[in-house]
């Protein structure tokens, strides 16, 4: 019998078409050859590797599932595989692409005017215009319906006041997609970050997602032209639809983190000798490794099924919540277990588990905390809103 791939026990690869496989391989090469040599230093010093942006754009990874405007028009499974491979490198890489693609380019594509699409999307696909997405506020991100940031109409402009918190790419961004309360409900604005009264301040001393820029945004009477209001987004449904796109990608991303951790643990336990035998020869260790492979396989099947549903146009947001909850929890637990299996070595950046473990503490919190997704599933089952 032929030997199985330990990182793909159910041969998910065989379920992919040629284009999906080619994309996964191209991103995997980029991650191994270009990103991973930089990532430990970036994590250590707390910086996003901006020097990789041109190559990320060149590979077609920005707005990859959008049609037209210089975007690649790939299917959802391809987008998922991109997220998986980037996050196998580092959650910061996947975060950068998620925010640019699903949270900034998607709303311009879905809710913007033709003029807005033509003005912003080609430059964003080329990585020349970077976006950030401002929904969360300092008083509590889980309940965005209670946002305080507001926009008041004044002639041909809107005047924006308020603050946003924990904003990925905030200090790198040329534009911010900002969600604000108006007399006509919650609306979205494309805020140019060189506008007077706009300020982005980096959040320092993070112990997680250190290879990613995270910021606070402040709006002090920022004037935004009516031409920069997203005309087709009204109410919370606008930002929540963007989150569905990004959360879908996040169901795939942590599979990459978990694969990286298991790969490291397999190599380490195969080589390390204790009590006159390889660590991997102990039943207690094999049980752990086997259980990791089981959980990774289940997550792979879940995301692939979700991707096929999304491409068929029948994916439901609750299905995304279930997979985001399951797959991030799976990866976080595996990263912690791999950290333990590596003993003292597991606490250094020389090995990947602790970096993934720390990153996943953010991933389980952002884009809806684990509890929020559990409550979304609970609401679906019972019909009772328990938020
Ligand atoms: P609710 O009454 O349920 O819904 C309001 C309207 O929105 C619609 N809707 C959705 N549409 C699309 N996708 C979804 N997932 C949707 N969920 C709800 C819904 O149909 C309704 O439409 P309509 O037409 O009837 O008005 O709203 P709620 O206030 O009860 O909220 C429920 C809750 C708690 C699930 C929601 O507030 C929530 O998801 N909270 C978590 C917030 C969150 O995830 N924030 C993330 C910020 S961005 C981020 O973290 C980026 S990290 C990026 C990175 O670095 O990768
Ligand atoms: P809170 O909402 O205050 O929640 C605190 C705790 O209470 C959590 O454990 C939560 O699960 C729990 N809780 C909340 N409600 C309930 C309930 N009803 N029942 C039981 N428990 C409950 N946001 C953006 O808008 N754009 C970004 O680009 C972005 N990037 C981020 C990057 C990083 C690194 C991080 C850490 C966050 C980012 N976020 C971003 C914010 C993220 O979405 C929020 O942190 C998240 O939504 C949770 O909000 P909060 O931190 O205010 O926690």
């Amino acid at each position: 019998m032929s030997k199985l791939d330990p990182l793909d026990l159910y041969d998910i690869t065989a379920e992919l078409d040629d284009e999906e496989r080619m994309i996964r391989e191209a991103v995997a090469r980029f991650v191994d050859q270009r990103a991973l040599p930089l990532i430990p230093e970036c994590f250590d010093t707390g910086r996003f590797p901006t020097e990789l942006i041109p190559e990320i754009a060149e590979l077609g990874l920005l707005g990859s599932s959008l049609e037209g405007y210089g975007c690649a028009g790939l299917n959802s499974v391809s987008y998922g595989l991109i997220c998986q491979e980037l996050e196998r490198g580092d959650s910061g890489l996947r975060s950068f692409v998620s925010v640019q693609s699903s949270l900034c380019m998607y709303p311009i594509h879905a809710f913007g005017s033709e003029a807005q699409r033509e003005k912003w999307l080609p430059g964003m696909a080329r990585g020349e215009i970077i976006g950030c997405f401002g929904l969360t506020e300092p008083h509590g991100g889980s309940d965005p319906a209670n946002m305080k940031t507001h926009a008041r109409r004044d002639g041909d402009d809107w005047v924006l006041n308020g603050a946003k918190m924990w904003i990925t790419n905030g200090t790198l961004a040329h534009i911010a997609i900002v969600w604000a309360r108006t007399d006509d409900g919650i609306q979205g604005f494309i805020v140019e970050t060189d506008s007077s009264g706009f300020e982005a301040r980096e959040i320092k001393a993070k112990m997680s997602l250190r290879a990613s820029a995270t910021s606070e945004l402040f709006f002090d009477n920022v004037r935004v032209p009516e031409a920069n209001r997203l005309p087709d987004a009204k109410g919370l449904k606008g930002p929540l639809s963007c989150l569905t796109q990004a959360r879908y990608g996040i169901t795939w991303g942590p599979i990459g983190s978990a694969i990286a951790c298991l790969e490291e643990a397999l190599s380490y336990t195969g080589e390390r000798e204790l009590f006159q035998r390889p660590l991997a020869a102990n039943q207690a260790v094999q049980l752990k490794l086997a259980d990791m492979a089981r959980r990774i396989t289940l997550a792979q099947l879940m995301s692939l099924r979700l991707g096929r549903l999304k491409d068929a146009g029948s994916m439901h947001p609750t299905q995304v919540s279930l997979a985001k909850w399951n797959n991030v929890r799976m990866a976080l637990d595996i990263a912690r277990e791999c950290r333990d299996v590596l003993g003292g070595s597991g606490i250094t950046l020389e090995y990947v588990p602790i970096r993934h473990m720390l990153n996943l503490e953010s991933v389980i919190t952002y884009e809806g905390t684990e509890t929020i997704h559990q409550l979304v599933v609970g609401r679906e089952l019972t019909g009772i809103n328990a938020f």
Side-chain angles (χ1 to χ4, degrees):
M1 254 187 288
S2 61
K3 192 157 164 24
L4 297 175
D5 176 351
L7 304 175
D8 185 11
L9 284 183
Y10 264 36
D11 198 9
I12 297 291
T13 306
E15 296 295 315
L16 306 177
D17 66 26
D18 288 346
E19 186 177 67
E20 291 161 350
R21 247 180 269 182
M22 205 180 68
I23 287 155
R24 190 185 66 183
E25 279 159 24
V27 183
R29 249 192 327 273
F30 163 76
V31 166
D32 290 333
Q33 293 172 8
R34 305 288 302 142
L36 276 171
L38 297 177
I39 285 294
E41 177 269 318
C42 289
F43 191 93
D44 199 20
T45 56
R47 73 174 187 95
F48 176 75
T50 47
E51 62 269 43
L52 294 177
I53 295 175
E55 285 172 79
I56 290 173
E58 186 65 29
L59 280 166
L61 309 189
L62 302 178
S64 61
S65 48
L66 301 178
E67 292 287 347
Y69 310 96
C71 302
L74 302 176
N75 70 5
S76 303
V77 169
S78 299
Y79 176 49
L81 292 163
I82 290 169
C83 291
Q84 177 184 299
E85 287 309 314
L86 290 174
E87 199 143 358
R88 188 174 58 76
D90 192 86
S91 302
L93 292 172
R94 199 267 310 132
S95 261
F96 174 81
V97 168
S98 292
V99 169
Q100 178 83 348
S101 303
S102 292
L103 297 182
C104 297
M105 296 175 75
Y106 169 81
I108 295 174
H109 197 272
F111 308 127
S113 64
E114 189 51 35
Q116 289 169 348
R117 287 194 277 265
E118 278 167 11
K119 179 169 179 185
W120 303 109
L121 292 178
M124 294 180 84
R126 288 195 301 272
E128 292 161 6
I129 300 171
I130 304 303
C132 68
F133 177 88
L135 180 65
T136 304
E137 299 194 350
H139 60 274
S142 297
D143 183 18
N146 185 34
M147 73 174 61
K148 313 280 186 230
T149 298
H150 56 90
R152 177 177 50 83
R153 185 76 194 250
D154 184 29
D156 286 341
D157 291 340
W158 292 81
V159 181
L160 204 63
N161 279 285
K164 299 285 177 182
M165 184 75 184
W166 303 115
I167 306 305
T168 302
N169 297 351
T171 46
L172 305 176
H174 304 96
I175 58 168
I177 305 294
V178 179
W179 299 94
R181 182 172 299 292
T182 72
D183 286 343
D184 199 14
I186 290 170
Q187 299 203 62
F189 298 88
I190 305 170
V191 179
E192 297 176 49
T193 58
D194 59 2
S195 305
S196 169
F198 176 94
E199 191 191 346
R201 241 180 256 161
E202 191 174 345
I203 298 174
K204 298 217 187 263
K206 284 181 302 172
M207 302 305 290
S208 173
L209 268 182
R210 289 183 52 74
S212 173
T214 316
S215 321
E216 289 177 84
L217 307 183
F218 299 94
F219 316 98
D220 179 11
N221 286 315
V222 177
R223 294 193 85 83
V224 182
E226 163 65 6
N228 281 20
R229 181 180 61 86
L230 295 172
D232 293 330
K234 286 271 163 65
L236 204 54
K237 201 181 172 81
L240 290 182
S241 305
C242 304
L243 295 184
T244 296
Q245 305 302 313
R247 289 166 176 174
Y248 161 74
I250 293 178
T251 75
W252 287 83
I255 297 172
S257 313
I259 284 176
C261 292
L262 176 57
E263 192 170 24
E264 190 93 278
L266 286 171
S267 147
Y268 191 89
T269 57
E271 283 168 18
R272 193 162 183 84
E273 298 228 345
L274 295 166
F275 302 100
Q276 290 89 49
R277 59 184 185 274
L279 199 47
N282 293 287
Q283 288 189 353
V285 173
Q286 285 198 14
L287 289 180
K288 285 184 189 167
L289 298 172
D291 199 45
M292 290 177 204
R294 173 184 67 81
R295 284 175 282 163
I296 289 172
T297 304
L298 293 173
Q300 286 170 322
L301 290 169
M302 239 170 152
S303 280
L304 183 66
R305 168 72 180 150
L306 200 59
R308 297 290 181 226
L309 286 173
K310 190 168 192 300
D311 280 328
S314 56
M315 183 183 81
H316 191 286
T318 302
Q319 295 170 327
V320 181
S321 284
L322 187 68
K324 199 261 181 188
W325 160 25
N326 183 76
N327 294 7
V328 183
R329 167 56 60 191
M330 167 286 294
L332 178 57
D333 290 347
I334 286 177
R336 285 175 178 162
E337 288 159 27
C338 287
R339 209 291 310 145
D340 172 60
V341 161
L342 266 66
S345 302
I347 72 155
T348 72
L349 281 180
E350 205 179 317
Y351 298 91
V352 303
I354 198 160
R355 179 167 52 77
H356 284 296
M357 180 189 108
L358 292 169
N359 284 338
L360 288 159
E361 292 290 349
S362 284
V363 181
I364 205 162
T365 292
Y366 67 36
E367 296 278 3
T369 65
E370 181 175 59
T371 308
I372 289 297
H373 291 293
Q374 289 167 328
L375 294 177
V376 167
V377 176
R379 179 170 66 179
E380 191 71 32
L381 299 182
T382 62
I384 302 168
N385 188 344
F387 291 110

